[in-house]
Amino acid sequence: EVQLVESGGGLVQPGGSLRLSCVGSGFRFGGYWMSWVRQVPGKGLEWVGNIKEDGRERYYADSVKGRFTISRDNAKNSLYLQMNSLRAEDAAVYYCARERLMEWIWGQGTVVTVSS
Amino acid sequence: IQLTQSPSFLSASVGDRVTITCRASQGITNYLAWYQQKPGIAPKLLIYAASTLQSGVPSRFSGSGSGTDFTLTISSLQPEDFATYYCQQLDKYPYTFGRGTKLEI
């Protein structure tokens, strides 16, 4: 069974940093693009960015470009989201997703709270 | 690419046929997916490539359209279908989502 499990969420002060992780199982992790998507509770979905199978291409939403970095370690079946210079508006549930063309599978999400 | 979903809210009854529309600000061929989301749970893929039913999704769900205009149809509403529905375009970066349609009893 394909499974994605995010972790690393928590409370961080504005201007602070946080690193999220996503571990995949039940599939060949290194064979897929991976994305991060976030959702402010009670609001809509926002794509954050993605990374190619070998990590050599990455794309980001304008709202996070220059502050967030996506990386992966295929040997550990892991995807990461390094979030720096966090703002109140970055508070959300963060989901990782496996891309297979347009057929995405999502994790259960991890909550990030940005507050002083 | 902006996606405009309508309606934002929809009240319906069990057994009803409902249609949700998603209009893209520019042509996206068939690079569109539909999701269902219930409170506190990750989105669930229903339809991809505009009209392909995801494995395990009931056949009462169907999708159609291409270019800029797309629809999600539920042929006969079941109690478990009351949720929020989102469309997503995957034609060009940045990937974008519609603002959602909340389907209420």
Side-chain angles (χ1 to χ4, degrees), chain A residues 33 35 37 39 42-47 50 59-62 95 99-109, chain B residues 30-33 35 37 40-43 45 47-50 54-55 86 88 90 93-99:
Chain A
W33 284 74
S35 264
V37 178
Q39 183 173 36
K43 302 295 184 184
L45 298 159
E46 179 185 21
W47 178 78
N50 66 358
Y59 299 90
Y60 297 95
D62 286 346
Y95 298 100
E99 301 183 30
R100 178 173 171 262
L101 296 179
M102 290 172 266
E103 191 181 356
W104 288 27
I105 293 177
W106 298 51
Q108 86 292 344
Chain B
N30 72 333
Y31 284 82
L32 189 100
Y35 291 90
Q37 188 178 32
I41 299 176
L45 179 66
I47 303 281
Y48 63 94
Q54 171 68 345
S55 175
Y86 295 94
Q88 178 198 23
L90 302 105
Y93 289 120
Y95 296 148
T96 48
F97 294 86
R99 299 185 70 173

Side-chain angles (χ1 to χ4, degrees), chain B:
Chain B
I1 297 175
Q2 293 188 5
L3 298 179
T4 303
Q5 268 185 254
S6 60
S8 298
F9 297 93
L10 180 58
S11 291
S13 301
V14 172
D16 284 354
R17 178 185 180 92
V18 299
T19 297
I20 299 169
T21 66
C22 180
R23 175 164 289 175
S25 58
Q26 63 187 80
I28 57 172
T29 58
N30 72 333
Y31 284 82
L32 189 100
W34 288 98
Y35 291 90
Q36 176 194 69
Q37 188 178 32
K38 297 181 179 179
I41 299 176
K44 173 188 174 183
L45 179 66
L46 300 174
I47 303 281
Y48 63 94
S51 60
T52 302
L53 192 68
Q54 171 68 345
S55 175
V57 174
S59 59
R60 63 181 180 273
F61 291 92
S62 64
S64 65
S66 67
T68 59
D69 294 309
F70 302 86
T71 61
L72 172 70
T73 299
I74 310 172
S75 61
S76 178
L77 276 173
Q78 298 302 301
E80 60 269 28
D81 299 337
F82 292 94
T84 300
Y85 293 83
Y86 295 94
C87 56
Q88 178 198 23
Q89 69 82 18
L90 302 105
D91 184 51
K92 288 184 174 57
Y93 289 120
Y95 296 148
T96 48
F97 294 86
R99 299 185 70 173
T101 295
K102 187 173 184 179
L103 180 53
E104 300 176 316
I105 299 175

Side-chain angles (χ1 to χ4, degrees), chain A:
Chain A
E1 178 193 3
V2 173
Q3 196 170 14
L4 296 166
V5 179
E6 301 94 336
S7 62
L11 173 64
V12 60
Q13 292 186 341
S17 298
L18 204 60
R19 188 198 198 203
L20 306 183
S21 299
C22 167
V23 176
S25 59
F27 65 101
R28 189 174 71 86
F29 187 83
Y32 295 86
W33 284 74
M34 298 293 295
S35 264
W36 287 98
V37 178
R38 66 184 182 183
Q39 183 173 36
V40 174
K43 302 295 184 184
L45 298 159
E46 179 185 21
W47 178 78
V48 172
N50 66 358
I51 186 168
K52 193 178 178 181
E53 296 97 327
D54 59 5
R56 294 186 177 187
E57 288 183 44
R58 308 170 204 196
Y59 299 90
Y60 297 95
D62 286 346
S63 59
V64 306
K65 205 172 292 183
R67 299 186 301 123
F68 290 12
T69 301
I70 299 173
S71 61
R72 65 192 297 162
D73 184 340
N74 290 339
K76 296 182 177 179
N77 293 338
S78 293
L79 173 73
Y80 305 103
L81 180 64
Q82 177 67 45
M83 304 186 293
N84 298 330
S85 303
L86 281 161
R87 307 166 180 167
E89 56 264 33
D90 296 318
V93 178
Y94 283 75
Y95 298 100
C96 66
R98 185 194 82 171
E99 301 183 30
R100 178 173 171 262
L101 296 179
M102 290 172 266
E103 191 181 356
W104 288 27
I105 293 177
W106 298 51
Q108 86 292 344
T110 187
V111 178
V112 172
T113 303
V114 182
S115 175
S116 55

